Amino acid sequence: MNHDESRDLYDRALSVMPGGVNSSVRAIRPYPFFVQKGDGGHVIDADGNRYIDFVMGYGPLLLGHDLPETVRAAVQQRASEGPMYGAPTEVEVELAEFVTRHVPGVEMVRFVNSGTEATVSAVRLARGYTGRDKIVIMEGSYHGAQESTLVEGEREHTAPSSPGIPESFAEHTLTVPFNDKTAVHEVFEEHGDDIAAVLTEPILGNHGIVHPIEGYHETLRDLTDQYGALLIFDEVITGFRVGGLQCAQGKFGVDPDLTTFGKIVGGGFPVGAIGGKSEIVEHFTPAGDVFQSGTFSGHPVTMAAGLETLRYVAENDVYDHVNALGERLRSGIADILEDQAPAYTVVGTDSMFKVIFTRDGEFGKGHCEGGCTQDPTCPRYEFCPKNGADVDRAETERWERLFWPAMKEEGVFLTPNQFESQFVSAAHTDEDVEQALEAYKRVL
Ligand SMILES: *Cc1c(COP(=O)(O)O)cnc(C)c1O
């Protein structure tokens, strides 16, 4: 593959943008390929190379790169009627109605412009509502580029994970390992009366893909209820992807107090949202006193893209298609691992998938071939990553430096590190899956 054009573009970019990119994860070494355009389930780069795209914008593009006619028409009409107004529009109400109708834990919703803004606002709302300052998050979790969750360390021994964040932010953030029921019990026993909320993804989608073990969500729900704290599900990735329109909370049968959304709900445009029980969400200004506001919030173009995307999904068998392809990828990769890399683990569910280069355990009879679901009867159960630290202990360097570039040369675009999920879209085909599996077979 020739990458001359991308290299020249990166050379120019380095002079005018820090690290040459606008989001850190894009700064693939030695330089990223620059995308010229999308085409269904593929992207074509500035040098004309074509890749099967399983990054899909890091999650927003459930339908792939070619928007259905209804979505395209709605976006073009909105853009041509004047992109935004600073006054409410009907389309915001329609999207809010759609979300509240389908997501069990959501009675009201406030739209914002990114997943980060959603988690910032949800944490502020939880603190304002409970009158408490502390939040509990999972070690290694990602909730966007925000002060309260960019922490490292364990339990109350946390520190900011980036310069520029005062120590005092981290003082209010407690961390526990995902799936460790004992740890979260202990943290509540010690700090329960000061905890405003537990904030977690229902499935860790930004740090491996780690499924909850049996009863973990219920433990979080029971503890938050017992201590008068809120349970916030960050469904920025899983929302409208895992469990279909009911989202992961519907699939797992858990009832969070607040839910954050982003990615898919904006149909490919910048978006975030905070949903939940009316009694809590109405604490946002102007109904309540927890300040929240935004010039671009509820942007008509975004709202139209999100609404028409979700309507299209509701009227077509999109989830059947993407989930079936996801299953074929996961089980196809599992078969390859059994022969070629039996210590590795296939993870994911619905249309999410990944291989984690774990170091121990054998693939064999009875494993969760459709992706690890933390099934205690699975022979691999004890070897499957249960939390962020387990994923860190896998071969992250080999994944990033050897595996990812080789897959790219095979024409398969994966998320460029071991931690972030990959996605199947409605535009992917059986042939894409076959080709990708052939590439896995050659590269693994
Ligand atoms: C992507 C993501 C965010 C941040 O969303 P942005 O739109 O990038 O700000 C927050 N939480 C989760 C779980 C995410 O995957």
Side-chain angles (χ1 to χ4, degrees):
M1 273 185 190
N2 180 349
H3 298 294
D4 291 350
E5 199 65 36
S6 283
R7 198 183 50 226
D8 289 350
L9 284 168
Y10 195 57
D11 195 6
R12 279 170 58 196
L14 280 173
S15 301
V16 287
M17 300 193 293
V21 290
N22 282 307
S23 186
S24 341
V25 76
R26 296 178 200 159
I28 295 158
R29 286 177 187 275
Y31 54 88
F33 63 79
F34 280 61
V35 173
Q36 196 205 342
K37 61 175 181 180
D39 179 19
H42 297 200
V43 284
I44 295 152
D45 75 10
D47 292 280
N49 302 306
R50 176 181 281 271
Y51 309 88
I52 303 172
D53 178 12
F54 291 123
V55 176
M56 282 294 156
Y58 284 86
L61 304 179
L62 179 61
L63 302 181
H65 294 287
D66 298 335
L67 299 179
E69 191 43 44
T70 49
V71 184
R72 194 195 316 253
V75 167
Q76 286 173 346
Q77 189 187 338
R78 283 282 159 195
S80 68
E81 288 173 352
M84 52 83 74
Y85 315 105
T89 53
E90 183 177 3
V91 66
E92 300 165 64
V93 185
E94 290 183 303
L95 184 55
E97 286 170 347
F98 189 102
V99 172
T100 55
R101 196 158 60 238
H102 288 93
V103 188
V106 177
E107 296 169 358
M108 273 194 180
V109 61
R110 165 69 51 91
F111 288 107
V112 294
N113 306 290
S114 70
T116 297
E117 213 183 318
T119 64
V120 168
S121 301
V123 167
R124 185 183 308 140
L125 180 60
R127 286 171 168 160
Y129 176 78
T130 59
R132 301 170 178 180
D133 285 341
K134 290 195 189 307
I135 58 165
V136 177
I137 64 171
M138 304 299 143
E139 286 172 31
S141 62
Y142 182 69
H143 300 289
Q146 71 133 312
E147 271 43 12
S148 290
T149 59
L150 287 175
V151 303
E152 56 195 19
E154 293 170 13
R155 312 270 178 118
E156 51 278 303
H157 308 293
T158 51
S161 61
S162 164
I165 301 176
E167 293 282 339
S168 50
F169 276 96
E171 277 169 27
H172 302 298
T173 304
L174 308 166
T175 64
V176 290
F178 191 62
N179 277 333
D180 186 337
K181 296 178 193 171
T182 310
V184 72
H185 267 285
E186 287 170 1
V187 158
F188 267 92
E189 273 158 32
E190 196 149 333
H191 303 281
D193 296 338
D194 300 323
I195 295 173
V198 173
L199 168 63
T200 185
E201 286 188 89
I203 297 171
L204 292 191
N206 283 288
H207 210 95
I209 303 171
V210 183
H211 229 73
I213 59 167
E214 184 130 359
Y216 187 63
H217 288 329
E218 289 72 16
T219 299
L220 299 181
R221 182 66 280 181
D222 291 348
L223 277 171
T224 46
D225 280 343
Q226 187 186 334
Y227 284 90
L230 302 186
L231 178 60
I232 309 174
F233 265 12
D234 184 353
E235 294 225 45
V236 171
I237 284 188
T238 53
F240 304 105
R241 183 172 292 280
V242 173
L245 295 176
Q246 62 179 342
C247 305
Q249 56 196 261
K251 177 169 175 160
F252 287 114
V254 182
D255 190 28
D257 300 296
L258 293 175
T259 305
T260 52
F261 299 95
K263 299 191 172 126
I264 289 176
V265 79
F269 290 84
V271 79
I274 309 96
K277 314 284 173 227
S278 306
E279 190 256 319
I280 302 170
V281 179
E282 283 198 306
H283 282 255
F284 272 145
T285 51
D289 55 4
V290 179
F291 187 75
Q292 208 292 318
S293 198
T295 300
F296 290 108
S297 294
H299 195 285
V301 177
T302 303
M303 296 293 103
L307 179 65
E308 291 303 331
T309 295
L310 293 179
R311 279 184 177 158
Y312 180 88
V313 167
E315 287 159 18
N316 295 275
D317 56 357
V318 168
Y319 292 118
D320 289 345
H321 176 79
V322 295
N323 295 353
L325 291 186
E327 184 75 18
R328 279 187 52 197
L329 270 167
R330 290 186 299 270
S331 62
I333 295 168
D335 289 343
I336 297 166
L337 295 186
E338 189 164 355
D339 288 342
Q340 299 179 212
Y344 291 179
T345 307
V346 183
V347 291
T349 180
D350 298 64
S351 54
M352 298 168 67
F353 74 102
K354 196 82 179 178
V355 179
I356 302 182
F357 287 11
T358 38
R359 296 167 194 266
D360 300 299
E362 285 279 311
F363 252 104
K365 264 198 168 54
H367 59 246
C368 318
E369 64 167 21
C372 171
T373 54
Q374 308 293 358
D375 173 2
T377 67
C378 172
R380 286 182 58 80
Y381 181 68
E382 63 179 294
F383 300 109
C384 289
K386 302 279 180 295
N387 55 48
D390 289 348
V391 178
D392 292 337
R393 275 191 293 276
E395 298 177 320
T396 58
E397 291 292 302
R398 180 182 301 265
W399 204 108
E400 188 170 327
R401 290 171 192 271
L402 301 179
F403 174 69
W404 187 88
M407 288 297 280
K408 190 203 73 176
E409 285 302 302
E410 292 275 347
V412 182
F413 181 30
L414 304 176
T415 44
N417 58 55
Q418 182 159 253
F419 304 109
E420 305 206 50
S421 179
Q422 294 150 186
F423 305 98
V424 183
S425 79
H428 286 113
T429 61
D430 288 339
E431 198 190 328
D432 292 329
V433 168
E434 286 316 311
Q435 273 183 28
L437 288 173
E438 286 304 316
Y440 272 97
K441 197 177 282 178
R442 281 191 292 271
V443 170
L444 273 167

